[in-house]
């Protein structure tokens, strides 16, 4: 009999649902010095973008990011795979290609056997191998809760850098993966997710967002970000605020995991969903009479979610087909960007 505790039982939260609420993060960063005194720093903290970017020369930018969290699944290898996919995604969301990673590991070594910790690390290496990069080192500590993730370094040409703040009026918005990861995570904790649905969630959260590097080569792609812990509304707001635009999202067009709506209506959601709404709800206009469970879909934290892409309207159909051909069958056009106050209107 396996007497070791479930990974998810050792953590107070899981996946990107562990992130600080957007309002808390803004408060913590409010008095930080402006980083743009360094002219080579093309992207810092000023636009809540996915990674930092330093221009080395006329042809090369270095992209740096780090991401880690507590387990949202009990299989240790899957935990490692999901965490690594999520961390590498930030490089793709900036239009770059990763070149190496460093592991970040905190484990309650008195509660977890060494073989399970090795499986977590092996899962991370699996995904890094799929991305074509080495795990070149890292750092580990004895921690009260299991934590794993990566620091990732990538490269891009300056012309292929894609910020989240460069959307333009008239742009069409495309989301590459289905929403509902946080809702599925809540169902896991209560034993309400079957094996096929768990496999669906793992497949989505371990699908590398490599297509971001290819999209950034297109001049008609203006902005990219990945949708993670703040949900589609939170990361959409980062685009809206950065570009000073209104985003219009069509609720009926949002792609969802197969049981996301059913589980949300049945009352499954995470605490992060509630915190997200409290942090940014004043900048969002929802349809009259929207049910609370529908709002929870919009604020649902996505661990290793899809890319939110803003592209020229005349290219939207071609871009959507390119994304689907790259292995993202749920990719969908979900709205538009237009001139107006920075915020989101859901229709």
């Amino acid at each position: 009999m396996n007497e070791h505790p479930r990974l998810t039982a050792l953590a107070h939260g899981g996946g990107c649902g562990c992130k600080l609420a957007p309002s808390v993060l803004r408060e913590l960063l409010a008095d930080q010095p402006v980083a743009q005194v360094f002219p080579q720093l093309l992207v810092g903290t000023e636009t809540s973008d996915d990674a930092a970017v330093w221009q080395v020369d006329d042809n090369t930018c270095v992209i740096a990011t780090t991401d880690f969290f507590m387990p949202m699944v009990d299989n240790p290898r899957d935990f490692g795979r999901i965490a690594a996919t999520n961390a590498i995604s930030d490089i793709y969301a900036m239009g770059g290609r990763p070149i190496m990673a460093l592991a970040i590991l905190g484990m309650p070594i008195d509660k977890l056997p060494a073989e399970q910790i090795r499986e977590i690390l092996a899962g991370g290496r699996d995904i890094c191998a799929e991305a074509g990069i080495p795990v070149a080192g890292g750092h580990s500590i004895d921690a009260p809760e299991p934590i794993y993730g990566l620091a990732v370094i990538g490269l891009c040409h300056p012309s292929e850098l894609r910020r989240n703040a460069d959307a333009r009026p008239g742009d069409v918005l495309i989301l590459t993966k289905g929403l509902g990861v946080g809702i599925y995570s809540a169902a896991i904790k209560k034993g309400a997710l079957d094996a096929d649905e768990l496999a669906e969630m793992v497949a989505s959260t371990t699908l590398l967002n490599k297509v971001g590097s290819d999209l950034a080569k297109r001049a008609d792609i203006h902005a990219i970000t990945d949708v993670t812990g703040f949900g589609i509304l939170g990361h959409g707001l980062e685009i809206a605020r950065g570009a000073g635009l209104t985003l219009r999202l069509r609720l009926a067009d949002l792609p969802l995991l197969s049981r996301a709506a059913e589980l949300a209506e049945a009352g499954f959601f995470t605490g992060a969903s509630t915190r997200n709404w409290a942090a940014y709800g004043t900048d969002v206009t929802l349809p009259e009479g929207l049910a609370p469970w529908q709002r929870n879909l919009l604020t649902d934290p996505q661990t290793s979610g899809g890319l939110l892409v803003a592209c020229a309207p005349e290219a939207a159909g071609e871009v959507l087909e390119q994304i689907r051909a790259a292995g993202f069958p749920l990719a969908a056009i979900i709205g538009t960007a237009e001139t107006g106050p920075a915020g989101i209107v859901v229709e």
Side-chain angles (χ1 to χ4, degrees):
M1 179 181 295
N2 184 2
E3 298 179 355
H4 302 303
R6 295 169 55 195
L7 277 178
T8 54
L10 293 174
H12 74 277
C16 286
C18 300
K19 292 176 72 169
L20 295 177
S23 57
V24 174
L25 187 58
R26 286 197 301 272
E27 181 181 356
L28 294 176
L29 296 176
D31 60 352
Q32 296 299 305
V34 176
Q36 288 294 11
V37 294
F38 299 92
Q40 304 100 317
L41 185 64
L42 302 186
V43 182
T45 61
E46 59 283 345
T47 57
S48 302
D49 223 315
D50 296 297
V53 181
W54 185 275
Q55 184 167 0
V56 178
D57 55 38
D58 291 343
N59 297 308
T60 309
C61 289
V62 173
I63 308 171
T65 186
T66 182
D67 214 315
F68 52 88
F69 47 61
M70 291 170 281
M72 55 184 291
V73 293
D74 290 313
N75 182 290
R77 201 174 193 107
D78 284 345
F79 171 38
R81 293 170 64 224
I82 293 167
T85 306
N86 180 74
I88 298 171
S89 179
D90 287 340
I91 302 296
Y92 297 131
M94 302 301 298
R97 58 179 180 84
I99 59 170
M100 70 173 181
L102 303 174
I104 300 165
L105 183 73
M107 289 290 147
I109 57 174
D110 59 333
K111 298 175 183 175
L112 277 180
E115 59 266 25
Q116 285 198 24
I117 299 173
R118 285 197 298 269
E119 279 291 290
I120 294 169
L121 293 170
R125 286 197 305 272
D126 288 346
I127 291 297
C128 286
E130 187 178 336
I133 63 173
V135 179
H139 186 66
S140 60
I141 62 169
D142 184 2
E145 297 179 285
I147 297 169
Y148 175 69
L150 300 174
V152 191
I153 303 298
L155 301 173
C156 74
H157 190 278
S159 67
E160 295 173 6
L161 174 63
R162 291 295 179 270
R163 301 172 178 87
N164 66 4
D166 292 336
R168 303 177 188 178
D171 275 354
V172 168
L173 304 172
I174 299 174
L175 181 62
T176 65
K177 291 185 183 182
L179 302 173
V181 175
I183 290 164
Y184 271 41
S185 299
I188 288 173
K189 287 183 175 291
K190 296 184 179 180
L193 208 66
D194 68 26
D196 289 342
E197 292 149 4
L198 176 60
E200 177 192 18
M201 187 190 79
V202 171
S204 178
T205 54
T206 57
L207 176 59
L208 284 164
N209 283 322
K210 286 183 180 182
V211 70
S213 298
D214 297 324
L215 294 176
K217 293 177 170 57
R218 301 180 60 120
D220 46 23
I221 301 292
H222 302 145
I224 306 175
T225 193
D226 62 350
V227 177
T228 54
F230 300 153
I232 185 64
L233 289 184
H235 294 285
L237 275 172
E238 290 174 345
I239 288 181
R241 290 166 175 160
L245 298 172
T246 296
L247 302 192
R248 290 192 175 271
L249 303 184
R250 296 184 294 272
L251 181 64
D253 292 339
L254 293 175
L256 302 174
L257 298 180
S258 63
R259 285 193 67 205
E262 175 190 346
L263 290 167
E265 190 170 11
F268 292 96
F269 64 95
T270 69
S273 182
T274 303
R275 293 193 300 273
N276 282 343
W277 179 250
Y280 54 58
T282 55
D283 293 323
V284 177
T285 301
L286 298 178
E288 186 176 350
L290 189 75
W293 69 265
Q294 292 175 299
R295 192 191 74 188
N296 288 338
L297 286 169
L298 296 168
T299 59
D300 187 51
Q302 303 306 293
T303 300
S304 192
L307 299 177
L308 180 58
V309 180
C311 70
E314 64 273 12
E318 180 183 333
V319 170
L320 179 61
E321 289 307 309
Q322 179 181 348
I323 293 169
R324 288 176 175 171
F328 297 82
L330 295 183
I333 293 172
I334 64 168
T336 56
E338 62 183 45
T339 301
I344 293 181
V345 176
V346 180
E347 302 173 331

